[in-house]
PDB file of all heavy atoms in Angstrom:
ATOM      1  N   HIS A  28      56.883 -80.757  14.984  1.00 91.00           N
ATOM      2  CA  HIS A  28      56.097 -79.606  15.379  1.00 91.00           C
ATOM      3  C   HIS A  28      55.411 -79.922  16.696  1.00 91.00           C
ATOM      4  O   HIS A  28      55.369 -81.059  17.126  1.00 91.00           O
ATOM      5  CB  HIS A  28      55.054 -79.271  14.315  1.00 91.00           C
ATOM      6  CG  HIS A  28      54.036 -80.356  14.130  1.00 91.00           C
ATOM      7  ND1 HIS A  28      54.251 -81.449  13.353  1.00 91.00           N
ATOM      8  CD2 HIS A  28      52.807 -80.511  14.665  1.00 91.00           C
ATOM      9  CE1 HIS A  28      53.189 -82.232  13.390  1.00 91.00           C
ATOM     10  NE2 HIS A  28      52.294 -81.699  14.187  1.00 91.00           N
ATOM     11  N   HIS A  30      52.280 -80.641  18.498  1.00 91.00           N
ATOM     12  CA  HIS A  30      50.944 -81.079  18.099  1.00 91.00           C
ATOM     13  C   HIS A  30      49.870 -80.158  18.665  1.00 91.00           C
ATOM     14  O   HIS A  30      49.940 -79.735  19.809  1.00 91.00           O
ATOM     15  CB  HIS A  30      50.689 -82.504  18.585  1.00 91.00           C
ATOM     16  CG  HIS A  30      51.536 -83.515  17.894  1.00 91.00           C
ATOM     17  ND1 HIS A  30      51.453 -83.780  16.551  1.00 91.00           N
ATOM     18  CD2 HIS A  30      52.505 -84.331  18.376  1.00 91.00           C
ATOM     19  CE1 HIS A  30      52.324 -84.721  16.238  1.00 91.00           C
ATOM     20  NE2 HIS A  30      52.982 -85.068  17.316  1.00 91.00           N
ATOM     21  N   ALA A  31      48.925 -79.881  17.832  1.00 93.00           N
ATOM     22  CA  ALA A  31      47.806 -79.036  18.256  1.00 93.00           C
ATOM     23  C   ALA A  31      46.597 -79.941  18.454  1.00 93.00           C
ATOM     24  O   ALA A  31      45.847 -80.217  17.523  1.00 93.00           O
ATOM     25  CB  ALA A  31      47.521 -77.981  17.185  1.00 93.00           C
ATOM     26  N   CYS A  50      45.614 -84.420  16.349  1.00 95.00           N
ATOM     27  CA  CYS A  50      46.360 -83.223  15.989  1.00 95.00           C
ATOM     28  C   CYS A  50      45.791 -82.648  14.701  1.00 95.00           C
ATOM     29  O   CYS A  50      45.709 -83.342  13.688  1.00 95.00           O
ATOM     30  CB  CYS A  50      47.840 -83.558  15.816  1.00 95.00           C
ATOM     31  SG  CYS A  50      48.799 -82.160  15.236  1.00 95.00           S
ATOM     32  N   ALA A  52      47.103 -80.611  12.814  1.00 92.00           N
ATOM     33  CA  ALA A  52      48.146 -80.372  11.823  1.00 92.00           C
ATOM     34  C   ALA A  52      48.529 -81.633  11.057  1.00 92.00           C
ATOM     35  O   ALA A  52      48.665 -81.616   9.845  1.00 92.00           O
ATOM     36  CB  ALA A  52      49.367 -79.777  12.494  1.00 92.00           C
ATOM     37  N   CYS A  53      48.693 -82.738  11.756  1.00 93.00           N
ATOM     38  CA  CYS A  53      49.225 -83.925  11.087  1.00 93.00           C
ATOM     39  C   CYS A  53      48.334 -85.152  11.217  1.00 93.00           C
ATOM     40  O   CYS A  53      48.584 -86.162  10.591  1.00 93.00           O
ATOM     41  CB  CYS A  53      50.623 -84.236  11.621  1.00 93.00           C
ATOM     42  SG  CYS A  53      50.627 -84.805  13.320  1.00 93.00           S
ATOM     43  N   THR A  55      47.845 -87.067  13.796  1.00 94.00           N
ATOM     44  CA  THR A  55      48.220 -88.020  14.832  1.00 94.00           C
ATOM     45  C   THR A  55      47.153 -88.057  15.919  1.00 94.00           C
ATOM     46  O   THR A  55      46.593 -87.030  16.281  1.00 94.00           O
ATOM     47  CB  THR A  55      49.573 -87.626  15.448  1.00 94.00           C
ATOM     48  OG1 THR A  55      50.573 -87.693  14.443  1.00 94.00           O
ATOM     49  CG2 THR A  55      49.954 -88.542  16.602  1.00 94.00           C
TER      50      THR A  55
HETATM   51 ZN1   ZN B   1      50.878 -82.996  14.868  1.00 58.04          ZN
END
Side-chain angles (χ1 to χ4, degrees):
H28 64 277
H30 292 296
C50 175
C53 69
T55 297

